[in-house]
Amino acid sequence: MPEESQRPRFSLRALREDEKALDTRASLADLETDIDYRRTFHVIGRSVLFVRYVWLRYVISFASHLARENLTIVLAPWIGKILIDHVVLGAPVEDATGYPSFLVPAIEMLEGASVGAILFWVVLCSVAGLVASLAHGYVMTLFDTRLTQSIAHLVRCRLFGGVQALPMTKLDDQPIGDSVYRVVNDTRVIPDVIGTVLIQPVSAVFAFAVALVTLQSAYSDSPVVAVFAVGALPMYVLVIVPFSRMLRRRSQAVIAAQSAFTSNIEEGMDNMLAVQALGATATERERFRKDSAESFKRIRFSGLAFDVAGTLLEIATQVMVWGFTVYVVAQVIFGGFSPGDFVVVLGYFALMREPAEKLAYLWIGLQGDAARARRVFAMLDAPPEAETGRSALPPIEAGVSFRDVGFVYPDGRRALRDVTFNARLGQILAIVGPTGAGKTTLAYLIPRYHTASEGQVLIDGHDVNDVSLESLRGQTSYVFQETQTVNESILENIRLGKPDANTEEVERAARDAGIHDFIVGTPDGYDTLLGTSTSKLSVGQKQRIGIARGLLKDSRILILDEPTAALDPETERHVVGALREAARNRIVIIIAHRLSTVALADHVVFLDDGRVMEQGTHAELMDREDGNYRRFVDLQTESVD
Ligand SMILES: Nc1ncnc2c1ncn2[C@@H]1O[C@H](COP(=O)(O)OP(=O)(O)O)[C@@H](O)[C@H]1O
Ligand SMILES: [Mg+2]
């Protein structure tokens, strides 16, 4: 039947490929998403190591939980025995046997008591135990929340620092949404893993041991009881281990889908205007709907996988419980067990089997945690921007020189070759050329946002690779092509690079950048809050904020990437005047298109296709009859005419 054959058949390979594709979309910077056992133990181990920052509080919490669990284990089953032997069956307390030594004084107190009195004491003790246990639980919840949150906080801050320190080329491959997802969601598993690995198994094993010792001292002639209970753990291990890898895969698949739609939100909000203008809101919604539906599907699938694992554990449990119950019933009928023993032995069996079951469930849970923890460490381990500098760059006194500099992007694209020029303190250097010529790439080499592939970038004779990034960037201001604002007031936005600048300094910079009058004209003035993708400001206004920022941070090198592109002629003249003034004790490097901006430069470097085609003063270059620069300028003047 044609319809039948057209229906896509389920194929594991197609599923894997599908998942790899989504992993790639989630983050190109982190593609090794498969986790084998070695990696699993590795990330779990590293997560656990975070405990060292709060170890004392962990010890307190641990001891407290342990005490509570073991008190319950030691006392609870005997209450059942007292009830059945002395209340239900009415056997006299004097003849009682089989109680552990620590209970004997309490039992002796009950000697001669009536059935009603025994019942009263049993109920009273149980209620008191319950109240104490509830109160303890409440206090511990508060204590543990603080504990886990302080670890989560620590990991989050580290990871954010790690993301910030990524080199620019790596950041290009790392969607913001995925970073957000890692910092907000993935980091939360680290304290979970610590609890899962450090507290719960240890207390489970402890509980197991206490139950075993108590039981053996009471029923030393029936080793079968202990054998049954001890056998529970290997049984669970056999059931659960074959599933582990699959569970990790399912978890990773869910995370990738969720990270992808987090990125959808971020990108959609960031480009809202473009999306609306192009009438693409429906397309964007559909993209989001698809990714969200995919995540929904994967969550169900992963939930199913975890449920199947849980069901297998449950089946194993039932097999063990029924096998053991049959054995104990036989002992009561044919052997030496009293009906009270039936309760005690079954109770202890449960107390020993449960820790084993708990360990098995912990292991299941850890598989999902490992998938998230891997993402946290992958980002923490991503090599930060290489700090190759050994010494600090002394205050700049001479200038910047490029010597045969070439640059190739990681994808193999060459953006610059054989670039050589000099810029001196007190000069304005203009870098001119068509779009895609490599102007921005060139400027990025100075504060070492990128590192030159060939040749040398020298400042006062020091190779920028040999000086510390802090000293280098502390002496450079970079006004980017697109000014990004932070979620703060205009005042804070301007003094981003010099947080201790006073209001007068900020206002002076704003005046020089031609934005002061606009700011004081707004209702809130310098206190106006800007968002990150604010539409409160025009592109030109944002650009002027950027220029003010660059002027305020009073550093020796000021680089401006097409700063006047969106300015009206009058503002441009004003800003250019301010730059001229600023260049008196600075090196101003300005990437520009406009003749009016370029003409004021002391030196012009004309770049095309990554090469310096010509350089000299504006007048010198205009004198060349068929020079590239002159043609470039003529084209502009013609288009104005
Ligand atoms: N991250 C990148 N990876 C690969 N190629 C890039 C990257 N950034 C820019 N390029 C390429 O390098 C060339 C120069 O870009 P750029 O320096 O931004 O030019 P300009 O600023 O002169 O317009 C362009 O061909 C551009 O496509
Ligand atoms: Mg550019």
Side-chain angles (χ1 to χ4, degrees):
M1 279 176 281
E3 286 107 296
E4 279 294 306
S5 60
Q6 269 167 12
R7 209 205 262 146
R9 275 197 307 135
F10 178 81
S11 127
L12 210 56
R13 200 150 127 229
L15 184 76
R16 292 261 161 81
E17 268 164 25
D18 203 35
E19 289 185 353
K20 272 273 169 260
L22 194 53
D23 280 352
T24 311
R25 193 142 63 80
S27 166
L28 258 180
D30 172 26
L31 288 178
E32 282 167 37
T33 52
D34 242 358
I35 321 173
D36 55 17
Y37 272 105
R38 228 191 89 243
R39 210 95 187 268
T40 306
F41 283 114
H42 181 75
V43 295
I44 290 175
R46 281 184 69 183
S47 306
V48 169
L49 278 182
F50 269 97
V51 80
R52 65 187 182 277
Y53 301 104
V54 287
W55 67 271
L56 186 61
R57 282 191 276 159
Y58 248 101
V59 169
I60 294 173
S61 165
F62 177 64
S64 172
H65 283 289
L66 207 61
R68 176 193 180 177
E69 267 173 42
N70 288 297
L71 270 179
T72 316
I73 289 171
V74 168
L75 296 176
W78 303 104
I79 290 196
K81 183 171 161 77
I82 295 173
L83 277 179
I84 291 186
D85 285 355
H86 308 302
V87 177
V88 178
L89 300 178
V93 179
E94 292 79 23
D95 305 339
T97 52
Y99 287 101
S101 51
F102 61 84
L103 272 182
V104 171
I107 299 298
E108 278 170 358
M109 274 167 56
L110 290 179
E111 275 174 20
S114 67
V115 168
I118 295 175
L119 188 61
F120 171 77
W121 282 110
V122 165
V123 170
L124 190 69
C125 287
S126 303
V127 170
L130 185 68
V131 170
S133 162
L134 285 176
H136 176 266
Y138 198 71
V139 171
M140 287 319 289
T141 302
L142 292 177
F143 189 82
D144 288 349
T145 307
R146 216 179 127 218
L147 187 57
T148 52
Q149 282 311 304
S150 52
I151 292 184
H153 168 70
L154 182 78
V155 181
R156 276 200 297 267
C157 294
R158 284 251 175 114
L159 187 57
F160 180 65
V163 174
Q164 272 189 320
L166 287 177
M168 208 176 265
T169 41
K170 195 93 175 170
L171 275 174
D172 286 341
D173 289 340
Q174 176 57 21
I176 295 175
D178 184 74
S179 302
V180 170
Y181 194 85
R182 281 175 211 247
V183 174
V184 175
N185 288 313
D186 293 334
T187 51
R188 286 201 296 233
V189 304
I190 306 288
D192 288 354
V193 170
I194 296 178
T196 308
V197 172
L198 278 193
I199 293 198
Q200 300 178 42
V202 182
S203 65
V205 168
F206 204 85
F208 178 83
V210 169
L212 181 66
V213 169
T214 320
L215 187 64
Q216 269 315 91
S217 65
Y219 299 93
S220 50
D221 44 346
S222 305
V224 184
V225 175
V227 169
F228 256 102
V230 171
L233 189 60
M235 173 115 177
Y236 284 127
V237 169
L238 281 181
V239 170
I240 207 59
V241 160
F243 279 86
S244 310
R245 187 176 196 128
M246 195 263 280
L247 295 176
R248 293 194 293 268
R249 274 232 180 83
R250 288 308 98 223
S251 303
Q252 162 64 28
V254 168
I255 299 164
Q258 293 188 331
S259 150
F261 81 65
T262 309
S263 292
N264 280 342
I265 301 176
E266 185 267 322
E267 285 156 23
M269 300 300 290
D270 212 31
N271 305 317
M272 193 53 87
L273 210 58
V275 169
Q276 282 179 356
L278 296 169
T281 42
T283 324
E284 279 294 299
R285 267 207 306 278
E286 178 57 20
R287 219 158 70 95
F288 180 79
R289 194 199 62 77
K290 254 186 155 152
D291 278 348
S292 172
E294 180 65 27
S295 128
F296 177 44
K297 191 175 98 194
R298 290 179 179 200
I299 288 173
R300 281 186 306 171
F301 199 42
S302 149
L304 185 68
F306 278 86
D307 275 358
V308 167
T311 305
L312 286 175
L313 284 188
E314 189 51 39
I315 291 172
T317 302
Q318 291 303 325
V319 168
M320 284 187 272
V321 168
W322 282 106
F324 188 68
T325 307
V326 168
Y327 167 78
V328 178
V329 167
Q331 287 299 311
V332 173
I333 298 174
F334 305 110
F337 281 18
S338 77
D341 289 334
F342 176 85
V343 175
V344 172
V345 170
L346 272 187
Y348 270 109
F349 176 68
L351 287 175
M352 289 162 77
R353 184 195 53 71
E354 272 163 12
E357 188 181 13
K358 200 163 155 193
L359 287 179
Y361 272 107
L362 290 181
W363 177 250
I364 291 183
L366 270 181
Q367 305 314 303
D369 292 348
R372 283 183 190 274
R374 186 205 65 78
R375 283 167 49 86
V376 172
F377 291 117
M379 198 51 86
L380 277 180
D381 292 348
E385 209 171 8
E387 172 65 279
T388 52
R390 281 171 294 277
S391 58
L393 177 67
I396 300 170
E397 285 170 354
V400 177
S401 355
F402 275 53
R403 296 242 188 294
D404 304 317
V405 172
F407 182 77
V408 182
Y409 275 103
D411 64 2
R413 236 169 343 147
R414 177 169 280 284
L416 295 174
R417 70 177 82 229
D418 299 329
V419 174
T420 299
F421 66 84
N422 295 305
R424 280 195 327 275
L425 203 67
Q427 268 194 339
I428 296 185
L429 173 86
I431 300 168
V432 185
T435 302
K439 304 181 295 295
T440 300
T441 310
L442 184 155
Y444 273 7
L445 297 178
I446 300 170
R448 203 143 70 75
Y449 295 141
H450 293 325
T451 304
S453 317
E454 299 118 24
Q456 282 183 307
V457 177
L458 302 164
I459 299 180
D460 284 8
H462 303 276
D463 192 317
V464 290
N465 291 327
D466 297 337
V467 297
S468 72
L469 283 177
E470 197 190 346
S471 67
L472 173 64
R473 292 184 187 167
Q475 297 192 62
T476 19
S477 319
Y478 200 110
V479 178
F480 292 92
Q481 211 159 354
E482 286 164 37
T483 301
Q484 291 174 332
T485 49
V486 293
N487 205 355
E488 288 274 6
S489 65
I490 291 186
L491 183 77
E492 294 304 333
N493 263 284
I494 293 180
R495 64 178 176 198
L496 201 59
K498 193 183 176 188
D500 56 350
N502 60 36
T503 333
E504 278 112 75
E505 288 175 283
V506 172
E507 279 186 23
R508 186 160 2 105
R511 269 205 189 90
D512 287 344
I515 185 80
H516 174 75
D517 291 342
F518 164 78
I519 296 172
V520 292
T522 59
D524 294 327
Y526 278 90
D527 296 327
T528 307
L529 281 177
L530 301 179
T532 47
S533 56
T534 186
S535 49
K536 285 184 193 168
L537 299 177
S538 73
V539 176
Q541 285 158 351
K542 267 195 230 174
Q543 208 161 39
R544 280 179 272 173
I545 298 262
I547 296 170
R549 221 183 242 171
L551 288 171
L552 179 65
K553 181 184 167 193
D554 131 47
S555 51
R556 283 303 168 93
I557 302 178
L558 173 60
I559 304 167
L560 303 106
D561 197 343
E562 310 209 8
T564 51
L567 303 187
D568 56 90
E570 198 188 331
T571 317
E572 185 190 357
R573 213 167 19 247
H574 178 80
V575 169
V576 163
L579 288 177
R580 193 65 267 179
E581 178 61 30
R584 291 198 338 178
N585 56 353
R586 285 188 176 102
I587 306 161
V588 176
I589 296 175
I590 178 165
I591 299 174
H593 269 123
R594 291 227 204 144
L595 181 58
S596 41
T597 308
V598 178
L600 98 158
D602 301 296
H603 190 77
V604 176
V605 173
F606 184 79
L607 209 62
D608 195 3
D609 196 22
R611 286 170 215 266
V612 178
M613 308 302 277
E614 288 160 15
Q615 56 180 313
T617 63
H618 171 68
E620 278 167 17
L621 297 186
M622 287 306 283
D623 278 348
R624 297 192 189 176
E625 279 294 324
D626 40 41
N628 295 297
Y629 178 73
R630 179 166 169 168
R631 205 164 41 242
F632 186 75
V633 171
D634 284 347
L635 273 173
Q636 244 187 67
T637 354
E638 273 163 33
S639 63
V640 171
D641 290 345

mmCIF file of all heavy atoms in Angstrom, residues 110-129:
data_model
loop_
_atom_site.group_PDB
_atom_site.id
_atom_site.type_symbol
_atom_site.label_atom_id
_atom_site.label_comp_id
_atom_site.label_asym_id
_atom_site.label_seq_id
_atom_site.Cartn_x
_atom_site.Cartn_y
_atom_site.Cartn_z
ATOM 1 N N LEU A 110 8.043 -1.805 82.112
ATOM 2 C CA LEU A 110 6.663 -2.181 81.778
ATOM 3 C C LEU A 110 6.210 -3.440 82.515
ATOM 4 O O LEU A 110 5.038 -3.809 82.437
ATOM 5 C CB LEU A 110 6.532 -2.410 80.255
ATOM 6 C CG LEU A 110 6.625 -1.176 79.367
ATOM 7 C CD1 LEU A 110 6.506 -1.568 77.911
ATOM 8 C CD2 LEU A 110 5.536 -0.154 79.733
ATOM 9 N N GLU A 111 7.145 -4.095 83.215
ATOM 10 C CA GLU A 111 6.780 -5.342 83.911
ATOM 11 C C GLU A 111 5.632 -5.102 84.866
ATOM 12 O O GLU A 111 5.624 -4.136 85.627
ATOM 13 C CB GLU A 111 7.993 -5.910 84.667
ATOM 14 C CG GLU A 111 8.867 -6.761 83.763
ATOM 15 C CD GLU A 111 10.148 -7.222 84.449
ATOM 16 O OE1 GLU A 111 10.189 -7.215 85.693
ATOM 17 O OE2 GLU A 111 11.102 -7.564 83.720
ATOM 18 N N GLY A 112 4.620 -5.971 84.797
ATOM 19 C CA GLY A 112 3.474 -5.868 85.698
ATOM 20 C C GLY A 112 2.434 -4.859 85.257
ATOM 21 O O GLY A 112 1.359 -4.765 85.852
ATOM 22 N N ALA A 113 2.734 -4.087 84.199
ATOM 23 C CA ALA A 113 1.762 -3.090 83.738
ATOM 24 C C ALA A 113 0.594 -3.778 83.045
ATOM 25 O O ALA A 113 0.737 -4.870 82.467
ATOM 26 C CB ALA A 113 2.437 -2.125 82.780
ATOM 27 N N SER A 114 -0.565 -3.117 83.112
ATOM 28 C CA SER A 114 -1.753 -3.687 82.460
ATOM 29 C C SER A 114 -1.628 -3.489 80.948
ATOM 30 O O SER A 114 -0.821 -2.698 80.466
ATOM 31 C CB SER A 114 -3.001 -2.974 82.962
ATOM 32 O OG SER A 114 -2.978 -1.631 82.497
ATOM 33 N N VAL A 115 -2.464 -4.232 80.225
ATOM 34 C CA VAL A 115 -2.459 -4.100 78.766
ATOM 35 C C VAL A 115 -2.729 -2.654 78.348
ATOM 36 O O VAL A 115 -2.078 -2.096 77.478
ATOM 37 C CB VAL A 115 -3.513 -5.061 78.154
ATOM 38 C CG1 VAL A 115 -3.746 -4.733 76.679
ATOM 39 C CG2 VAL A 115 -3.067 -6.491 78.304
ATOM 40 N N GLY A 116 -3.685 -2.014 79.039
ATOM 41 C CA GLY A 116 -4.036 -0.619 78.737
ATOM 42 C C GLY A 116 -2.848 0.307 78.954
ATOM 43 O O GLY A 116 -2.565 1.185 78.153
ATOM 44 N N ALA A 117 -2.137 0.091 80.058
ATOM 45 C CA ALA A 117 -0.992 0.951 80.358
ATOM 46 C C ALA A 117 0.103 0.763 79.306
ATOM 47 O O ALA A 117 0.720 1.731 78.859
ATOM 48 C CB ALA A 117 -0.448 0.634 81.755
ATOM 49 N N ILE A 118 0.339 -0.497 78.918
ATOM 50 C CA ILE A 118 1.361 -0.743 77.881
ATOM 51 C C ILE A 118 0.981 -0.004 76.598
ATOM 52 O O ILE A 118 1.793 0.706 75.992
ATOM 53 C CB ILE A 118 1.500 -2.264 77.605
ATOM 54 C CG1 ILE A 118 2.043 -2.974 78.839
ATOM 55 C CG2 ILE A 118 2.423 -2.502 76.405
ATOM 56 C CD1 ILE A 118 2.107 -4.485 78.705
ATOM 57 N N LEU A 119 -0.284 -0.146 76.247
ATOM 58 C CA LEU A 119 -0.769 0.518 75.026
ATOM 59 C C LEU A 119 -0.561 2.025 75.126
ATOM 60 O O LEU A 119 -0.090 2.676 74.199
ATOM 61 C CB LEU A 119 -2.255 0.188 74.811
ATOM 62 C CG LEU A 119 -2.838 0.647 73.483
ATOM 63 C CD1 LEU A 119 -2.101 -0.012 72.318
ATOM 64 C CD2 LEU A 119 -4.329 0.323 73.402
ATOM 65 N N PHE A 120 -0.891 2.577 76.320
ATOM 66 C CA PHE A 120 -0.743 4.018 76.518
ATOM 67 C C PHE A 120 0.705 4.457 76.285
ATOM 68 O O PHE A 120 0.969 5.416 75.575
ATOM 69 C CB PHE A 120 -1.180 4.379 77.951
ATOM 70 C CG PHE A 120 -0.853 5.803 78.319
ATOM 71 C CD1 PHE A 120 -1.632 6.858 77.842
ATOM 72 C CD2 PHE A 120 0.250 6.100 79.115
ATOM 73 C CE1 PHE A 120 -1.326 8.165 78.173
ATOM 74 C CE2 PHE A 120 0.571 7.410 79.440
ATOM 75 C CZ PHE A 120 -0.217 8.450 78.967
ATOM 76 N N TRP A 121 1.646 3.722 76.901
ATOM 77 C CA TRP A 121 3.053 4.100 76.762
ATOM 78 C C TRP A 121 3.537 3.969 75.315
ATOM 79 O O TRP A 121 4.288 4.793 74.819
ATOM 80 C CB TRP A 121 3.945 3.262 77.709
ATOM 81 C CG TRP A 121 3.862 3.780 79.106
ATOM 82 C CD1 TRP A 121 3.260 3.170 80.173
ATOM 83 C CD2 TRP A 121 4.364 5.029 79.571
ATOM 84 N NE1 TRP A 121 3.334 3.943 81.301
ATOM 85 C CE2 TRP A 121 4.019 5.113 80.954
ATOM 86 C CE3 TRP A 121 5.040 6.093 78.993
ATOM 87 C CZ2 TRP A 121 4.351 6.209 81.731
ATOM 88 C CZ3 TRP A 121 5.374 7.176 79.785
ATOM 89 C CH2 TRP A 121 5.020 7.235 81.137
ATOM 90 N N VAL A 122 3.062 2.910 74.680
ATOM 91 C CA VAL A 122 3.476 2.709 73.292
ATOM 92 C C VAL A 122 2.986 3.879 72.426
ATOM 93 O O VAL A 122 3.730 4.467 71.633
ATOM 94 C CB VAL A 122 2.931 1.361 72.750
ATOM 95 C CG1 VAL A 122 3.047 1.309 71.224
ATOM 96 C CG2 VAL A 122 3.701 0.212 73.363
ATOM 97 N N VAL A 123 1.698 4.259 72.612
ATOM 98 C CA VAL A 123 1.130 5.356 71.817
ATOM 99 C C VAL A 123 1.854 6.655 72.141
ATOM 100 O O VAL A 123 2.231 7.416 71.244
ATOM 101 C CB VAL A 123 -0.387 5.478 72.068
ATOM 102 C CG1 VAL A 123 -0.931 6.760 71.436
ATOM 103 C CG2 VAL A 123 -1.115 4.276 71.506
ATOM 104 N N LEU A 124 2.097 6.896 73.430
ATOM 105 C CA LEU A 124 2.758 8.134 73.840
ATOM 106 C C LEU A 124 4.149 8.237 73.195
ATOM 107 O O LEU A 124 4.508 9.283 72.633
ATOM 108 C CB LEU A 124 2.885 8.192 75.353
ATOM 109 C CG LEU A 124 3.352 9.562 75.886
ATOM 110 C CD1 LEU A 124 2.271 10.610 75.685
ATOM 111 C CD2 LEU A 124 3.752 9.465 77.350
ATOM 112 N N CYS A 125 4.901 7.141 73.273
ATOM 113 C CA CYS A 125 6.248 7.161 72.688
ATOM 114 C C CYS A 125 6.182 7.402 71.184
ATOM 115 O O CYS A 125 6.984 8.153 70.625
ATOM 116 C CB CYS A 125 6.976 5.841 72.951
ATOM 117 S SG CYS A 125 7.497 5.677 74.648
ATOM 118 N N SER A 126 5.193 6.757 70.524
ATOM 119 C CA SER A 126 5.081 6.908 69.078
ATOM 120 C C SER A 126 4.772 8.357 68.707
ATOM 121 O O SER A 126 5.359 8.925 67.789
ATOM 122 C CB SER A 126 3.990 5.993 68.515
ATOM 123 O OG SER A 126 4.273 4.674 68.859
ATOM 124 N N VAL A 127 3.821 8.970 69.449
ATOM 125 C CA VAL A 127 3.440 10.355 69.154
ATOM 126 C C VAL A 127 4.632 11.291 69.390
ATOM 127 O O VAL A 127 4.941 12.153 68.565
ATOM 128 C CB VAL A 127 2.224 10.789 69.999
ATOM 129 C CG1 VAL A 127 1.988 12.293 69.872
ATOM 130 C CG2 VAL A 127 0.995 10.020 69.551
ATOM 131 N N ALA A 128 5.319 11.077 70.519
ATOM 132 C CA ALA A 128 6.477 11.917 70.822
ATOM 133 C C ALA A 128 7.516 11.784 69.715
ATOM 134 O O ALA A 128 8.090 12.775 69.243
ATOM 135 C CB ALA A 128 7.088 11.527 72.164
ATOM 136 N N GLY A 129 7.722 10.547 69.270
ATOM 137 C CA GLY A 129 8.682 10.303 68.192
ATOM 138 C C GLY A 129 8.278 11.028 66.922
ATOM 139 O O GLY A 129 9.094 11.653 66.250
#
